């Protein structure tokens, strides 16, 4: 199972969302607790006021502790809600009035001597406050204790409303935070995405340093990218020099040796010596050709990345190549006819186009029988312009040889691929590769077919006008 690579945006979003959710939850809990304690304090205050006013009404008359519960003392509790109110008064430990079984808080008293408690009474939760006051009866101190309790229904109702509002508040907080998180995470990865887009938009030949403005954290990345690009351009420039140098160093001595071998052969009389010199010359031809093609191919690969765009006339290019290969064709009595209009102008790399066309013509000569004809036809390419708005030109090389082996198709344009008909002919399987790469680098293509007028091959270089 392949794992998806981690995404900065997703990670950042998830973490911040989690943090926002925690904060929203915390906010909710704080609000609820605060509201609960405020509500509790206000209920406690009323209960306390009630207890105080009842306590104050206690007095000793005729040696008896009496209490006259003021109306307001209990009414103030009833005002708040429909909650039930209970009270109880005792003198020392003797029950005086009210609900005798009302529990009395036994916790420590607060600063004002009040005790508060929450308890269950008659099936309801109640809040009780109690306080004591010392009275003097017959010269002896007595303690009057008053407890007032109230059910907590009203308080729960208020808390429920607050709970709902706090939940809305928390959810709203989370929603706003989520929007900020998503936009924030996007803003964080924006410069990264912009950099990636600007680098991947570049053409293969664009080796300028990256100048996009990036945040400080990304500067080391851009700096190393630029150092890498600089190293690459230096290496490429060095390889170009190397290729030119190598081509020169390999071809020149081979040509010298070949010339010497021919001179020597002319001086030889013995047929066996002549035969071995002939073999040597053929081997020299073969290696010089292979070396040339390998270097040509390397040169084509390199130059397609740095294509030159010069205006050029295809008929000049064709005629020059034909002139160069005429001697080879002459050896097989092959006639080459050229049909190329003079007013056509293409834009492209003359060295590459010459190499491509040269390879096609070389193939035609190699694979043609003696005393046959090769025609080179340059003309507009009808139908092509409907697919693309540009005009295309076609340079066709037609021979009368055996044609391409059936079923080989595009396979022969692969590097080092040779057909079944190539046995006994010198070659390295790079000719069609070079031609196709050159065509593609110019925005055109290579077409392989049969001679429309009988036996033979027809290979076309199709190139856009500009
Ligand atoms: N004009 C042609 N007629 C017949 N076969 C051809 C022709 N041109 C190329 N081919 C076939 O395509 C193969 C690949 O051509 P190429 O890449 O130029 O390699 P090479 O010429 O070194 O064999 C050749 O081996 C041959 O089988
Ligand atoms: Mg070839």
């Amino acid at each position: 199972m392949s794992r998806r690579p981690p995404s900065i945006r997703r990670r950042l979003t998830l973490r911040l969302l989690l943090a926002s959710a925690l904060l929203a939850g915390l906010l909710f809990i704080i609000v609820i607790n605060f509201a609960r304690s405020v509500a509790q304090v206000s209920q406690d205050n009323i209960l306390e006021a009630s207890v105080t006013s009842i306590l104050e009404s206690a007095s000793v008359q005729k040696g008896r502790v009496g209490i006259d519960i003021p109306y307001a003392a209990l009414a103030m509790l009833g005002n708040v809600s429909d909650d039930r109110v209970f009270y109880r008064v005792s003198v020392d430990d003797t029950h005086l009035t009210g609900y005798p079984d009302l529990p009395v808080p036994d916790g420590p008293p607060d600063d004002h001597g009040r005790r508060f408690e929450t308890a269950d009474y008659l099936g309801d939760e109640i809040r009780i406050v109690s306080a004591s006051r010392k009275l003097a009866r017959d010269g002896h101190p007595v303690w009057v204790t008053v407890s007032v309790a109230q059910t907590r229904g009203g308080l729960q109702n208020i808390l429920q409303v607050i709970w709902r509002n706090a939940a809305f508040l928390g959810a709203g907080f989370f929603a706003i935070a989520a929007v900020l998180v998503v936009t924030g995470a996007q803003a964080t990865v924006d410069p990264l995405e912009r950099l990636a887009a600007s680098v991947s938009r570049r053409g293969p030949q664009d080796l300028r340093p990256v100048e996009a403005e990036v945040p400080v954290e990304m500067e080391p990345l851009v700096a190393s990218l630029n150092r890498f690009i600089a190293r690459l351009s230096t290496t490429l420039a060095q390889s170009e020099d190397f290729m030119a140098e190598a081509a020169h160093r390999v071809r020149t001595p081979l040509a010298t040796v070949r010339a010497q071998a021919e001179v020597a052969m002319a001086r030889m009389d013995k047929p066996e010596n002549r035969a071995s010199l002939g073999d040597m010359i053929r081997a020299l031809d073969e290696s010089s050709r292979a070396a040339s093609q390998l270097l040509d191919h390397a040169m084509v690969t390199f130059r397609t990345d740095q294509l030159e765009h010069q205006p050029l006339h295809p008929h000049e290019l064709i005629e020059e190549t034909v002139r160069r290969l005429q001697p080879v064709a002459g050896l097989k009595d092959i006639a080459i006819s050229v049909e190329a209009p003079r007013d056509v102008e293409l834009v492209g790399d003359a060295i590459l186009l010459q190499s491509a066309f040269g390879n096609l013509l070389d193939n035609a000569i190699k694979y043609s029988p003696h005393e046959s004809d090769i025609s080179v036809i340059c003309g507009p390419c009808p139908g092509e312009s409907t697919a693309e708005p540009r005009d295309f030109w076609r340079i066709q090389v037609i021979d009368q040889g055996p044609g391409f082996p059936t079923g080989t198709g595009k396979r022969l344009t692969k590097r080092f691929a040779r057909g079944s008909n190539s046995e006994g002919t010198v070659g390295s399987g790079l000719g069609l590769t070079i031609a196709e790469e050159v065509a593609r680098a110019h925005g055109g293509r290579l077409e392989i077919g049969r001679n429309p007028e009988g036996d033979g091959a027809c290979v076309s270089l199709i190139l856009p006008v500009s």
Side-chain angles (χ1 to χ4, degrees):
M1 213 175 81
S2 69
R3 277 187 55 210
R4 275 177 72 193
S7 143
I8 295 182
R9 184 184 16 219
R10 206 171 45 232
R11 231 191 251 181
L12 201 61
T13 311
L14 281 181
R15 285 193 187 176
L16 290 177
L17 280 181
L18 196 70
S20 316
L22 282 178
L23 282 180
L26 208 62
L27 182 72
F28 173 74
I29 292 171
I30 288 174
V31 168
I32 285 293
N33 277 335
F34 184 67
R36 183 176 295 151
S37 64
V38 166
Q40 188 65 77
V41 164
S42 64
Q43 190 186 29
D44 286 356
N45 283 344
I46 301 174
L47 282 170
E48 193 186 340
S50 165
V51 162
T52 308
S53 75
I54 295 176
L55 253 192
E56 273 165 6
S57 73
S59 59
V60 179
Q61 283 169 357
K62 297 179 191 154
R64 284 175 55 121
V65 176
I67 204 147
D68 180 18
I69 296 175
Y71 169 75
L74 299 177
M76 68 170 103
L77 286 161
N79 279 348
V80 180
S81 63
D82 308 337
D83 282 319
R84 285 188 290 155
V85 178
F86 311 97
Y87 72 93
R88 167 188 177 173
V89 182
S90 54
V91 177
D92 284 336
D93 281 332
T94 325
H95 176 71
L96 187 64
T97 176
Y99 293 74
D101 55 347
L102 189 68
V104 179
D106 49 7
D110 70 1
D111 295 346
H112 308 290
R114 317 292 189 229
R115 293 167 206 270
F116 294 88
E117 195 180 77
T118 308
D120 276 333
Y121 183 62
L122 302 179
D124 277 319
E125 206 182 31
I126 53 166
R127 181 74 175 168
I128 316 166
V129 184
S130 79
S132 301
R133 184 175 158 214
K134 194 160 74 175
L135 291 178
R137 188 177 58 184
D138 303 339
H140 298 288
V142 285
W143 283 96
V144 179
T145 305
V146 174
S147 304
V148 178
Q150 189 183 28
T151 52
R152 288 158 55 96
L155 187 92
Q156 301 296 5
N157 288 345
I158 294 173
L159 281 180
Q160 219 157 38
V161 173
I162 293 177
W163 194 96
R164 207 175 311 131
N165 286 336
F168 280 131
L169 183 72
F173 174 83
F174 180 71
I176 293 172
V179 172
L180 292 179
V181 160
V182 171
T183 48
Q186 181 58 46
T188 310
V189 294
D190 262 352
L192 255 179
E193 288 181 344
R194 267 202 306 277
L195 177 71
S198 92
V199 172
S200 53
R201 247 200 323 270
R202 291 173 163 227
Q205 61 269 56
D206 190 348
L207 291 180
R208 284 171 305 150
V210 176
E211 268 157 8
E213 254 187 45
V214 292
V216 188
E217 291 83 353
M218 280 168 61
E219 271 169 8
L221 173 70
V222 172
S224 19
L225 188 64
N226 282 341
R227 276 197 298 279
F228 177 72
I229 291 177
R231 276 205 306 277
L232 185 66
S233 340
T234 320
T235 314
L236 280 177
Q238 282 168 349
S239 346
E240 187 182 27
D241 290 349
F242 171 79
M243 276 182 294
E245 183 74 13
H248 179 67
R249 301 231 170 195
V250 170
R251 282 182 191 139
T252 318
L254 281 178
T256 317
V257 176
R258 191 187 191 283
Q260 295 295 332
E262 274 183 345
V263 172
M265 189 150 90
R267 295 197 194 124
M268 295 276 173
D269 296 328
K270 281 199 183 160
E272 61 267 33
N273 286 351
R274 290 179 66 90
S276 20
L277 270 177
D279 286 347
M280 187 173 142
I281 289 173
R282 254 193 305 285
L284 280 170
D285 280 347
E286 202 161 326
S287 42
S288 137
R289 192 188 197 111
S292 294
Q293 256 189 338
L294 280 169
L295 291 167
D296 268 0
H297 181 242
M299 188 224 9
V300 166
T301 315
F302 177 79
R303 276 184 89 97
T304 48
D305 281 348
Q306 325 229 316
L307 207 61
E308 285 202 23
H309 294 277
Q310 311 146 328
L312 46 94
H313 297 284
H315 76 95
E316 284 174 4
L317 195 138
I318 293 170
E319 276 159 15
E320 194 185 314
T321 312
V322 169
R323 207 169 22 252
R324 183 162 58 81
L325 288 175
Q326 198 77 62
V328 190
L331 290 176
K332 289 172 86 174
D333 285 326
I334 292 174
I336 305 177
S337 65
V338 176
E339 228 176 86
R342 308 200 139 249
D343 53 353
V344 179
E345 202 182 80
L346 294 179
V347 173
D349 192 311
I351 297 184
L352 288 189
L353 288 174
Q354 213 148 36
S355 170
F357 176 66
N359 273 293
L360 298 187
L361 196 59
D362 178 67
N363 279 349
I365 297 171
K366 261 192 338 193
Y367 296 106
S368 284
H370 284 259
E371 292 180 22
S372 60
D373 294 325
I374 292 176
S375 35
V376 179
I377 303 170
C378 175
C381 194
E384 205 73 34
S385 46
T386 53
E388 279 199 29
R390 300 195 283 186
D391 284 333
F392 284 77
W393 283 80
R394 183 194 287 266
I395 301 174
Q396 274 178 312
V397 181
I398 304 171
D399 64 47
Q400 297 175 335
F404 286 92
T406 42
T408 45
K410 275 271 169 192
R411 190 182 64 78
L412 292 177
T413 59
K414 294 249 161 65
R415 264 149 45 107
F416 306 114
R418 305 195 71 199
S420 52
N421 59 339
S422 66
E423 258 169 62
T425 34
V426 178
S428 46
L430 284 171
L432 293 181
T433 317
I434 292 174
E436 181 173 52
E437 279 176 7
V438 171
R440 235 185 302 135
H442 282 82
R445 62 200 159 83
L446 184 77
E447 239 178 49
I448 290 173
R450 334 200 88 263
N451 181 351
E453 294 161 8
D455 278 346
C458 168
V459 187
S460 312
L461 265 180
I462 294 164
L463 301 167
V465 170
S466 57

